[in-house]
Amino acid sequence: GAGVSQSPRYKVAKRGQDVALRCDPISGHVSLFWYQQALGQGPEFLTYFQNEAQLDKSGLPSDRFFAERPEGSVSTLKIQRTQQEDSAVYLCASSENGGTYNEQFFGPGTRLTVL
Amino acid sequence: DQQVKQNSPSLSVQEGRISILNCDYTNSMFDYFLWYKKYPAEGPTFLISISSIKDKNEDGRFTVFLNKSAKHLSLHIVPSQPGDSAVYFCAASASNTGNQFYFGTGTSLTVIP
């Protein structure tokens, strides 16, 4: 079956521009996660949804970052007024249910470059 | 503050030999640990996991060892194959603090034919 997909795969934005990154999780997966991976680093948690509810947004670096999952499937990560330090790969992952001991399946990521 | 650390950025191993990748963590509340493998331009893919009630989990050529007292885990790959060349991330989570994973910075493994 289809895995997690993300679009666009690459995005170049001018500083100050708003961007929207899309994630299509595996069908039926309850939990959805967003991570930010800077160059040479491991993925860092941004936010977590269980169905349409955003249960944890403690990792969002500023109020310029906003995520939604209105119907409990597709999710969008929006970054307003992008800054150069926002340049990173943004990874989306989904898991079957909300339990801790569940494998997270990752998408290929969106590489954001802010000029 | 990095709660999961992989102190070796890279490792080279001859094909057929054992690869040992190491990971240390600082948070004693972590109770679930995973290894992910990542190829360039792809997302991480799950490799193997271990819960804190065990000290070893084996799956084919891959074995993960957990030493809770030392807050250390390791991934053994034997025998190593050229297709194992990738970046390996160690990750950890704590059941009482939600579902997020904390990742290390990765170790790039090169298996030389």
Side-chain angles (χ1 to χ4, degrees):
Chain A
V4 178
S5 61
Q6 293 185 245
S7 61
R9 291 293 312 277
Y10 302 91
K11 176 69 179 179
V12 178
K14 292 183 180 178
R15 191 173 58 182
Q17 190 176 353
D18 296 350
V19 298
L21 313 180
R22 176 187 169 108
C23 172
D24 285 81
I26 293 172
S27 177
H29 275 195
V30 168
S31 298
L32 186 146
F33 305 80
W34 284 99
Y35 291 85
Q36 180 190 59
Q37 185 176 13
L39 189 64
Q41 301 297 312
E44 289 197 7
F45 171 80
L46 293 177
T47 187
Y48 158 62
F49 290 86
Q50 188 163 330
N51 295 308
E52 69 278 6
Q54 189 174 20
L55 299 186
D56 187 347
K57 53 182 181 179
S58 62
L60 295 177
S62 77
D63 59 7
R64 296 186 295 103
F65 287 70
F66 172 76
E68 59 183 6
R69 193 187 186 198
E71 297 177 359
S73 56
V74 171
S75 177
T76 304
L77 176 67
K78 297 179 179 178
I79 309 173
Q80 297 176 323
R81 305 181 304 282
T82 52
Q83 304 294 315
Q84 284 188 322
E85 61 263 28
D86 300 335
S87 296
V89 175
Y90 290 85
L91 293 164
C92 174
S94 69
S95 69
E96 196 169 351
N97 58 48
T100 300
Y101 306 111
N102 282 289
E103 175 189 346
Q104 293 182 17
F105 294 83
F106 282 83
T110 295
R111 180 176 295 279
L112 173 65
T113 302
V114 182
L115 303 177
Chain B
D1 188 31
Q2 196 78 19
Q3 298 190 57
V4 177
K5 299 176 184 178
Q6 293 176 257
N7 293 318
S8 298
S10 62
L11 175 68
S12 290
V13 170
Q14 207 71 32
E15 180 179 5
R17 306 295 286 268
I18 185 171
S19 296
I20 300 175
L21 295 94
N22 293 302
C23 178
D24 298 289
Y25 61 96
T26 57
N27 188 341
S28 58
M29 300 305 295
F30 287 149
D31 56 7
Y32 186 55
F33 305 88
L34 310 90
W35 284 94
Y36 276 83
K37 176 179 178 180
K38 185 182 183 305
Y39 293 117
E42 295 182 11
T45 55
F46 170 77
L47 195 56
I48 193 168
S49 65
I50 188 167
S51 74
S52 58
I53 61 173
K54 292 185 172 184
D55 54 18
K56 176 183 174 182
N57 188 27
E58 191 172 351
D59 183 3
R61 297 185 298 113
F62 303 92
T63 303
V64 56
F65 295 91
L66 175 62
N67 182 334
K68 289 185 289 294
S69 61
K71 296 191 179 68
H72 177 84
L73 67 157
S74 60
L75 174 68
H76 292 210
I77 306 173
V78 56
S80 301
Q81 299 174 354
D84 296 329
S85 297
V87 177
Y88 289 78
F89 290 99
C90 169
S93 68
S95 55
N96 67 342
T97 59
N99 296 281
Q100 62 169 290
F101 288 171
Y102 295 84
F103 284 84
T105 52
T107 296
S108 178
L109 173 66
T110 302
V111 180
I112 303 164

